[in-house]
Amino acid sequence: MPTSPLPTITDPAAVSADQTRIGYRTVGTGPSLVLIQGAMGTCENFTELADLLSDSFTVILPDRRGRGLSPRPFEPGHQAARDIEDLAAILNATGATDIFGLSTGALLALEAARTLPNIRRVAAFEPPIYLDGLPTELITRFHHDTTHDDLPAMLITAMKLTGLAPRPIELIPRLLLEAAMRLVLRREARAKPGRYASTAELARALPYDIAVVEQLQDITRYSAINAEVLLLGAEHSPPYMRAALNALANTLPTAQRIELAGVGHGAAWNTDRSGNPHTVAPALRHFFNPAQPN
């Protein structure tokens, strides 16, 4: 059963170099550990994982720019370096030196470990690196959808780009998929706000994720990382993600590599978001504090 929102969470904020307010939450006691979400989520998606770790860590849950506690409209020409400045502001505000990143958050975690000297350990869960090259047709289509502010089209294109859409969706004509997504957005707009960010809000943050993916693909850049690295994968994730982790393991020969059985790409999320954080927490606990029992 999913847990209720954590009652001990507080909502401070850090200010990034361009004055963007980066909101975050904290829970627990012990060494600080920052959890960085990927696309289509906010820090709220990590509350169960944070709860599982909170007896051993002060878990810091920032919202990346463009969503949740860190609202900022996307601007064309966005650079992933701004996201690294956001993370640096969080680290400076909290004194944290350990970070976990999921998906595009994993790309940012690796890039932060490469460029920020105060990061000691980083766990990266399936950074979306396309060893055979980015799907340029889908990237071009996504930019077209964004220019026209077509949220249903943006969502469908992003699903196809990541390879995370259920297999039957690939058999449904795109126009029908977009029509169905349009109905979902209309239904959400009429409903009372819930615990999680709306699909529309998360769709408007997707250009940040696509920019990160486009700019942080060169796997050789990560050979400069001096921090300890844990590379996490999931049994049921797309093959290109497994290939990327294998390539990263070759690039970072001292990195630990773990594959979690029976789960997929969103394993770190709450159970009511199709996650299974109980499979992720022991690996993080052992990596970030090996003296603690799993």
Side-chain angles (χ1 to χ4, degrees):
M1 294 293 291
T3 62
S4 58
L6 301 177
T8 54
I9 279 178
T10 59
D11 294 0
V15 179
S16 193
D18 68 354
Q19 302 306 301
T20 300
R21 181 186 185 276
I22 305 299
Y24 63 97
R25 298 178 173 182
T26 62
V27 61
T29 57
S32 295
L33 172 60
V34 179
L35 308 185
I36 307 296
Q37 77 271 17
M40 297 305 293
T42 67
C43 66
E44 190 68 34
N45 294 61
F46 276 154
T47 54
E48 289 182 28
L49 180 59
D51 194 16
L52 291 169
L53 296 171
S54 63
D55 61 338
S56 302
F57 302 94
T58 298
V59 185
I60 300 162
L61 302 163
D63 270 337
R64 287 172 48 207
R65 61 172 58 205
R67 70 206 79 195
L69 301 171
S70 308
R72 183 184 176 99
F74 181 79
E75 298 171 0
H78 173 75
Q79 296 296 306
R82 302 291 79 75
D83 297 273
I84 301 303
E85 291 171 352
D86 298 347
L87 184 51
I90 293 292
L91 299 180
N92 290 337
T94 63
T97 59
D98 293 340
I99 54 177
F100 163 75
L102 169 65
S103 195
T104 46
L107 281 176
L108 291 172
L110 290 170
E111 180 67 1
R114 186 183 75 86
T115 58
L116 301 179
N118 54 334
I119 292 178
R120 182 176 56 161
R121 288 176 290 210
V122 58
F125 196 119
E126 297 187 333
I129 296 173
Y130 297 77
L131 297 179
D132 295 329
L134 283 169
T136 53
E137 183 176 341
L138 287 171
I139 292 287
T140 300
R141 176 62 189 260
F142 183 84
H143 289 311
H144 174 272
D145 300 337
T146 302
T147 299
H148 290 81
D149 197 32
D150 190 338
L151 298 189
M154 288 166 60
L155 288 161
I156 298 302
T157 302
M159 289 171 64
K160 292 178 176 291
L161 175 64
T162 60
L164 295 172
R167 189 176 297 272
I169 283 183
E170 296 297 330
L171 305 177
I172 300 174
R174 184 179 180 103
L175 286 177
L176 290 180
L177 291 174
E178 291 184 13
M181 187 61 71
R182 202 164 279 112
L183 289 175
V184 169
L185 294 175
R186 288 173 182 167
R187 189 180 304 118
E188 281 194 1
R190 293 193 297 267
K192 293 181 180 179
R195 172 183 176 185
Y196 296 103
S198 70
T199 304
E201 177 186 343
L202 296 173
R204 293 193 184 281
L206 276 172
Y208 284 107
D209 292 278
I210 299 302
V212 167
V213 169
E214 287 186 276
Q215 294 169 29
L216 300 182
Q217 285 294 300
D218 180 10
I219 205 165
T220 62
R221 70 195 294 134
Y222 304 117
S223 64
I225 292 175
N226 292 317
E228 297 177 45
V229 177
L230 171 65
L231 301 172
L232 279 170
E235 179 183 7
H236 299 314
S237 292
Y240 79 90
M241 292 184 175
R242 183 176 297 109
L245 286 174
N246 291 336
L248 280 168
N250 290 330
T251 302
L252 300 165
T254 62
Q256 300 179 45
R257 169 82 162 87
I258 296 176
E259 184 158 307
L260 303 175
V263 296
H265 185 64
W269 279 9
N270 296 343
T271 52
D272 62 350
R273 299 280 97 175
S274 301
N276 191 338
H278 288 272
T279 66
V280 180
L284 297 184
R285 185 186 300 274
H286 180 70
F287 175 68
F288 288 112
N289 195 348
Q292 290 285 331
N294 287 352

